Amino acid sequence: MIRPLGKCFASLLIFFLVAGCGTSVVQSPTGVSGGAKKRVLAFAGKQGPVLLQVSGQPFREGKGETAAASARILSGFYPEVPRGFTLNPAAAGAPQFRFRLAFDPPVSTSADQICAANAEMPLGYDRRGDRQILFMVFCRQDVAIAAVIARSDRMTSLTDPNYRKLLLQAAREMFQADPNDTGSLGILEFDPKPGIKLNPFEGIF
């Protein structure tokens, strides 16, 4: 009996080691129901390009090129955002709505903290070994509408094809229905205030 049990424990160990690698994407509850998330995205997309911003130190190409590459990858992915994504607040149709990509934020960071961060109160950064974290949030001002946390093996360059796969996997999951998001936020049914404008220098958070 000892030998079979030893094989069993060895198999379990291998399973958990393998499970710890690769890519995983999970929703981060925001209190907004799945249907409302998509309605807010559709409203923002009707106004024009959606603002995209990046924080952290994701790749050797730097923050600016990471943001530009991410905008190119995501543009065309959502039917609700027919004019794609922009890095320029002045070009955004409704810049109070934006996608924020936070790479390796501190473990305790919440989706609302990512939305509220700005140049005066920047988001922290916590690089953790060979695993990379992407916290992707769709915000209306400082309120998180939809959010996911994606974990993957660390990539060093935007030329790694796994980055495109990771970003699209996160984007696909972000607006799916989540039983933990029951609409308790009472979100915006519906007060978008499209006239609000962000500080045009709030590109780095």
Side-chain angles (χ1 to χ4, degrees), residues 17-201:
L17 286 173
V18 172
C21 301
T23 299
S24 67
V25 179
V26 296
Q27 288 201 17
S28 178
T30 61
V32 182
S33 68
K37 291 175 187 177
K38 286 198 171 182
R39 287 196 296 275
V40 178
L41 179 66
F43 175 86
K46 285 179 182 176
Q47 313 310 309
V50 172
L51 186 63
L52 184 144
Q53 299 171 316
V54 166
S55 75
Q57 301 295 331
F59 303 105
R60 65 185 178 215
E61 289 89 348
K63 227 179 273 188
E65 185 52 38
T66 299
S70 300
R72 288 194 296 270
I73 292 169
L74 290 176
S75 290
F77 181 78
Y78 293 113
E80 296 88 352
V81 187
R83 295 177 63 186
F85 291 81
T86 180
L87 311 185
N88 181 1
Q96 70 271 27
F97 295 98
R98 67 262 195 191
F99 271 55
R100 289 194 148 182
L101 279 56
F103 290 86
D104 296 315
V107 175
S108 61
T109 303
S110 69
D112 282 340
Q113 285 174 323
I114 289 174
C115 290
N118 55 45
E120 289 72 36
M121 296 185 299
L123 196 65
Y125 168 73
D126 181 17
R127 189 183 179 97
R128 295 182 284 280
D130 60 355
R131 293 291 285 168
Q132 186 171 37
I133 292 178
L134 166 61
F135 203 152
M136 183 171 169
V137 188
F138 174 49
C139 308
R140 176 190 178 270
Q141 295 182 299
D142 59 356
V143 176
I145 305 300
V148 292
I149 300 174
R151 295 176 175 85
S152 70
D153 296 329
R154 185 163 295 284
M155 294 166 267
T156 59
S157 173
L158 288 165
T159 60
D160 189 327
N162 288 322
Y163 177 59
R164 179 184 180 87
K165 294 177 184 176
L166 174 71
L167 188 61
L168 292 179
Q169 189 174 340
R172 187 175 298 110
E173 181 65 27
M174 191 152 72
F175 292 91
Q176 298 300 312
D178 181 353
N180 295 310
D181 281 332
T182 59
S184 59
L185 190 62
I187 180 71
L188 320 171
E189 289 282 348
F190 192 89
D191 181 24
K193 293 187 174 60
I196 296 173
K197 297 296 180 184
L198 295 180
N199 183 341
F201 299 106

Side-chain angles (χ1 to χ4, degrees), residues 7-17:
K7 288 183 179 179
C8 179
F9 284 124
S11 298
L12 285 173
L13 179 60
I14 291 171
F15 172 79
F16 284 118
L17 286 173

